[in-house]
Amino acid sequence: ARIPVYCNKWHRLYDFTPNPDPATPNWTLMDREEARNLVDLTDSGIISNEESVLRVIPVTLGCRPRPNPESCMVVFFPAIPNKTTTEADRSSAFELTIEAFLDVCERNSEVGWDLVDCRVLPLSQEQGKQIFRNKKWQKRCNGRDALAAVEICGKEIHRYIEGFLSGPGRLSCPPECVTLIPLERTPEALKLWFREWKDDMQGRAIK
């Protein structure tokens, strides 16, 4: 189906027979910790405990209540094309970078980093101007390359993520492949990316 794994819309359910009373919906969400334990790959014989890895599809908060109202938004870009890399190389590096960041978020969940949502979307330059203040990032929005945004919440989360992305343990990707949205622009950027802009099933923007 070529649906991006990180175009995470699992919680956007449509109830065709809603109850008249919104307080009694036909469905509820499992606790996130229960959801994490639905599939245990180590018991399946696929991998060993030593090789334990995170789930392919991230376990996000979705529409569950947020433990903390503070949020930040990190955006990932594919590497800039050059003569020595193929499109497959760029795509693989892009996905590995996102996986590495989600891995860091998961490992810091015990200290209050909560993964809220992630979504893949190609942006036009006009959309890029609404998200990014820096013209360098605006020019990277060409309407073709898919970008990925991740929302994380937690106390002082913007400061912690900023420190991680610039610190010694930062991601191994080139600096032009990841950026943290400035704190003052975060609410508007989150609203546009995750709630207002539409796309098709494969993450392509709908004009």
Side-chain angles (χ1 to χ4, degrees):
R2 301 183 67 185
I3 299 174
V5 170
Y6 304 110
C7 210
N8 203 335
K9 302 179 184 179
W10 65 268
H11 58 90
R12 299 181 189 178
L13 305 179
Y14 184 83
D15 192 342
F16 287 91
T17 56
N19 287 330
D21 182 5
T24 57
N26 291 322
W27 55 273
T28 57
L29 293 177
M30 294 178 65
D31 180 85
R32 193 165 47 153
E33 293 308 314
E34 290 184 80
R36 281 193 175 100
N37 296 323
L38 285 175
V39 178
D40 188 343
L41 296 180
T42 59
D43 287 345
S44 69
I46 298 175
I47 60 174
S48 66
N49 287 321
E50 291 75 16
E51 299 170 322
S52 181
V53 295
L54 295 174
R55 295 146 194 82
V56 173
I57 299 177
V59 181
T60 58
L61 281 174
C63 56
R64 297 184 183 93
R66 300 186 184 191
N68 193 290
E70 298 180 47
S71 284
C72 71
M73 178 174 165
V74 180
V75 181
F76 296 90
F77 292 77
I80 296 173
N82 59 53
K83 295 180 180 180
T84 63
T85 58
T86 65
E87 284 302 309
D89 293 334
R90 294 178 69 221
S91 178
S92 176
F94 177 64
E95 293 187 2
L96 287 173
T97 300
I98 302 168
E99 287 177 11
F101 180 73
L102 295 177
D103 178 74
V104 170
C105 292
E106 181 79 6
R107 297 183 193 283
N108 281 279
S109 60
E110 294 183 0
V111 295
W113 295 23
D114 281 290
L115 185 60
V116 179
D117 212 345
C118 54
R119 185 185 185 195
V120 174
L121 192 68
L123 300 189
S124 65
Q125 281 205 7
E126 190 59 38
Q127 288 174 310
K129 291 176 183 178
Q130 297 179 66
I131 296 289
F132 306 106
R133 174 185 297 167
N134 192 314
K135 290 185 178 180
K136 175 183 74 172
W137 301 114
Q138 294 175 8
K139 291 178 180 179
R140 297 287 307 279
C141 302
N142 56 26
R144 299 184 304 275
D145 287 336
L147 316 182
V150 179
E151 179 184 1
I152 315 99
C153 75
K155 186 177 181 180
E156 298 185 60
I157 191 64
H158 192 278
R159 180 170 67 86
Y160 285 121
I161 296 295
E162 185 175 40
F164 165 71
L165 292 176
S166 60
R170 62 185 179 272
L171 300 171
S172 59
C173 65
E176 70 269 12
C177 291
V178 60
T179 185
L180 175 65
I181 300 299
L183 186 60
E184 67 275 10
R185 296 180 69 90
T186 296
E188 180 65 16
L190 289 172
K191 182 179 74 170
L192 290 170
W193 197 293
F194 289 103
R195 289 179 278 284
E196 292 194 2
W197 287 338
K198 307 298 181 184
D199 59 39
D200 63 14
M201 286 295 291
Q202 293 181 337
R204 294 183 295 247
I206 296 175
K207 298 181 179 179

